[in-house]
Amino acid sequence: MTFKKVCEQLNIKAQCEKYGLSLWQCPQFLFVLMGIIVMIIIVVSFLIASRQIEDPRLVVLIVLSLSALLVIIDYIIIRSFEKLAEVARIKMEFVSVITHQLRSPITNIKYALETLISGKLTEKDREEYFRILEENIERTEGLINNILTVSRISLGTFKLRKEEISMVDLIEETILEFKPLLRASDIALKFEKEKELPKILSDPSWLKEVFRNLLDNAIRYQKGKGTINLRLRKKGKNIYFQISDSGVGIPEEEQKFIFQKFFRARNALRYQTNGTGLGLYIVKEIIKRMKGKINFKSKENKGTTFWFTLPIK
Amino acid sequence: MNESSSTNIFVSLVCISILVSRIMKKILFIEDESALQKTFGDILKSKGYGVLKALDGESGLRSAKGERPDLILLDLILPKMDGFEVLKELKENEETKNIPVIILTNLEETEDIQKALELGATTYLVKSSYTLEEVVNKIEKALGE
């Protein structure tokens, strides 16, 4: 058991992935690498020194150049610690964002209720205030569901069912749900699908959550009018889904953080104050658990394309 | 006779318009939550104020410069330009620097409060700690009523 734990601790790749860093930016990996290099340097210096003892200048030169290599690795390690600190900072910021996100709809409910209780309202106004209550209660509910999903994911209590489902039907149902928002935002939507796509074995409610999140993002971060393109086709033993928008895009330097929980890109914050930075994290975890792959391509101010593949059986 | 009566009408028209403009004080509400725009818009209108709405920082600033409201109610987390930037620009502009600004937000960190007050905000209100009635009272106080 303890040995297993040590191995898990030493599973450097997984640890680096946890922080969203590549191996060459990950302190855990760089420390091990530096240790190995130090050992090699000692052995090499010994071997060379024992043979070239008559020329100390050569030995000093070799030791010097190897030390220079160590300095370079040190420098890279320090830089990667800065990156880790940056990730921690971003996470702190987004804890405060989520508190704010919960407070906003509750404040809306509070003030709307106060107005309703005061009683001096026309029938039409009263209806509008009830609509505000409904909308904001739904918003609170959605947010709490997201936080719950995230905690289920991290606790490992997240379960998927397996049912034979038609992706086309699921996508069309989701589009129908979003019709009012699409119309209100003046955004067109095109759905291209291959004929006679096979059904897949998956969990319909969680897959729908994936479509909802991706479509919601595409609409929210679209700049003004535009078209969102959806594509669905068979690709070998997988089903391939793609969604493209011509929206604000994700800045290049922030693309590596996009699937992390609580992360929201700088320009996204500027464009849309509502958002928790949980949607894409949930999407990625769901697809991962369905044994699929997800990725994206994005250019700031040009747009973003997300795609994922899921095994058919 | 005729001339003096038309002058009279003119003078009284001017008086009435001055009176109306005194009575109808304009409040600019910069807030991206449409629910709050509705709630505050309704109650302020029922108290006899003219209410101007802006759903983001940029249009709020434009409206402040163009319409010269008597008071600005400003949220801090806003799209396009946040409340701090709006406040800073308002206070740097000769034409808008004397308009009282009430911050109405859910941010309650001491740093944020201090920053807003240093930038020249008149009052700082945290949404979750005040009722609608209390916020309206603060607005009336800031307008000197």
Side-chain angles (χ1 to χ4, degrees):
Chain A
M1 193 60 202
T2 3
F3 180 69
K4 204 179 156 200
K5 267 193 182 155
V6 172
C7 285
E8 270 168 15
Q9 281 292 312
L10 278 179
N11 190 352
I12 291 160
K13 199 161 172 272
Q15 289 218 357
C16 297
E17 270 171 9
K18 201 169 79 186
Y19 296 111
L21 296 172
S22 75
L23 273 183
W24 295 102
Q25 294 174 329
C26 179
Q28 278 96 332
F29 170 74
L30 292 170
F31 269 125
V32 174
L33 181 73
M34 196 161 80
I36 294 169
I37 290 179
V38 170
M39 283 187 251
I40 295 172
I41 288 174
I42 292 169
V43 174
V44 170
S45 315
F46 169 74
L47 288 177
I48 295 171
S50 61
R51 282 180 205 170
Q52 307 279 341
I53 199 77
E54 63 272 16
D55 191 359
R57 276 177 305 178
L58 185 66
V59 178
V60 170
L61 193 69
I62 289 165
V63 171
L64 259 182
S65 52
L66 290 172
S67 309
L69 185 66
L70 279 182
V71 169
I72 293 169
I73 296 178
D74 274 343
Y75 176 73
I76 300 173
I77 289 180
I78 288 167
R79 288 305 304 266
S80 53
F81 270 124
E82 279 168 16
K83 285 224 168 62
L84 276 184
E86 175 72 6
V87 172
R89 187 192 61 80
I90 288 165
K91 283 193 176 160
M92 278 293 289
E93 233 170 63
F94 289 97
V95 172
S96 76
V97 164
I98 207 158
T99 325
H100 186 261
Q101 292 302 326
L102 262 172
R103 259 188 174 172
S104 295
I106 290 172
T107 315
N108 294 349
I109 293 169
K110 183 181 90 165
Y111 287 140
L113 271 177
E114 199 183 327
T115 311
L116 273 169
I117 290 167
S118 78
K120 293 164 268 176
L121 291 171
T122 62
E123 194 54 40
K124 194 172 153 257
D125 272 339
R126 212 189 336 263
E127 261 171 42
E128 183 136 357
Y129 279 101
F130 277 122
R131 208 184 38 76
I132 290 177
L133 289 183
E134 188 185 20
E135 243 177 52
N136 284 281
I137 289 170
E138 270 170 21
R139 222 169 107 188
T140 316
E141 208 180 13
L143 196 61
I144 291 171
N145 285 343
N146 271 352
I147 300 170
L148 266 176
T149 307
V150 168
S151 78
R152 280 199 192 113
I153 290 170
S154 44
L155 289 171
T157 53
F158 180 79
K159 294 276 181 305
L160 288 170
R161 287 182 292 149
K162 273 203 171 172
E163 263 174 50
E164 209 168 64
I165 49 173
S166 151
M167 290 253 284
V168 178
D169 290 352
L170 264 185
I171 294 170
E172 277 170 352
E173 277 169 33
T174 318
I175 294 174
L176 213 61
E177 268 177 41
F178 279 86
K179 270 271 150 66
L181 184 61
L182 281 164
R183 207 173 301 133
S185 325
D186 211 357
I187 292 169
L189 187 138
K190 270 193 229 156
F191 179 25
E192 267 176 55
K193 52 194 180 265
E194 245 173 31
K195 277 180 190 159
E196 286 161 28
L197 284 164
K199 292 197 165 186
I200 66 162
L201 262 186
S202 196
D203 186 318
S205 54
W206 284 115
L207 200 50
K208 202 164 188 186
E209 193 60 33
V210 169
F211 291 131
R212 274 196 198 118
N213 270 308
L214 291 176
L215 191 55
D216 192 64
N217 276 354
I219 298 171
R220 259 176 221 284
Y221 300 117
Q222 183 81 29
K223 282 188 304 182
K225 284 184 188 178
T227 309
I228 293 170
N229 287 296
L230 307 183
R231 229 172 258 168
L232 188 68
R233 62 168 192 264
K234 198 174 164 232
K235 210 175 178 185
K237 287 179 178 172
N238 297 306
I239 283 242
Y240 173 91
F241 171 78
Q242 181 185 307
I243 177 167
S244 322
D245 64 55
S246 47
V248 294
I250 306 158
E252 210 186 323
E253 66 278 12
E254 298 189 324
Q255 292 191 357
K256 55 181 174 288
F257 301 125
I258 208 72
F259 288 118
Q260 280 185 28
K261 57 184 156 190
F262 296 121
F263 183 79
R264 291 193 70 210
R266 186 173 27 81
N267 62 338
L269 272 169
R270 244 185 137 62
Y271 197 73
Q272 258 292 337
T273 48
N274 283 334
T276 53
L278 291 177
L280 283 176
Y281 169 75
I282 292 173
V283 166
K284 194 194 176 178
E285 290 299 318
I286 294 173
I287 296 292
K288 207 165 98 186
R289 278 166 174 74
M290 289 176 173
K291 309 225 168 357
K293 285 200 177 81
I294 182 164
N295 214 335
F296 69 98
K297 193 172 67 195
S298 183
K299 207 165 175 153
E300 200 171 350
N301 295 320
K302 290 268 190 268
T304 307
T305 298
F306 276 92
W307 66 85
F308 66 79
T309 58
L310 282 179
I312 292 167
K313 291 284 164 193
Chain B
M1 184 69 186
N2 233 349
E3 209 172 282
S4 85
S5 78
S6 64
T7 320
N8 271 343
I9 290 171
F10 179 73
V11 168
S12 52
L13 270 179
V14 168
C15 284
I16 287 169
S17 62
I18 289 172
L19 212 67
V20 166
S21 74
R22 269 199 64 81
I23 297 166
M24 269 285 273
K25 282 196 171 161
K26 277 187 292 185
I27 298 172
L28 169 63
F29 189 25
I30 313 178
E31 163 70 63
D32 62 329
E33 290 279 350
S34 55
L36 291 187
Q37 284 284 4
K38 167 82 183 151
T39 338
F40 279 91
D42 282 357
I43 192 163
L44 290 172
K45 272 182 217 155
S46 79
K47 302 250 173 192
Y49 295 108
V51 182
L52 304 161
K53 295 176 178 180
L55 288 161
D56 64 73
E58 246 173 49
S59 65
L61 192 62
R62 220 177 310 127
S63 183
K65 285 176 182 166
E67 306 270 348
R68 309 275 185 79
D70 298 282
L71 182 131
I72 297 170
L73 206 54
L74 177 66
D75 188 14
L76 287 177
I77 299 184
L78 288 168
K80 291 190 186 161
M81 188 178 200
D82 72 30
F84 291 116
E85 290 171 81
V86 174
L87 182 59
K88 191 162 170 268
E89 288 225 13
L90 283 173
K91 293 297 167 189
E92 276 171 2
N93 190 314
E94 277 301 315
E95 293 167 4
T96 54
K97 74 172 186 193
N98 291 323
I99 305 173
V101 178
I102 295 183
I103 303 288
L104 185 64
T105 178
N106 262 331
L107 293 183
E108 54 173 3
E109 301 292 322
T110 327
E111 291 162 40
D112 295 323
I113 299 175
Q114 212 166 357
K115 190 172 163 194
L117 294 177
E118 269 166 20
L119 283 172
T122 312
T123 320
Y124 192 106
L125 305 177
V126 178
K127 285 173 192 165
S128 55
S129 356
Y130 290 90
T131 64
L132 200 54
E133 198 65 42
E134 285 168 332
V135 176
V136 173
N137 285 343
K138 296 270 184 189
I139 292 170
E140 289 181 328
K141 208 176 135 203
L143 281 168
E145 284 170 7

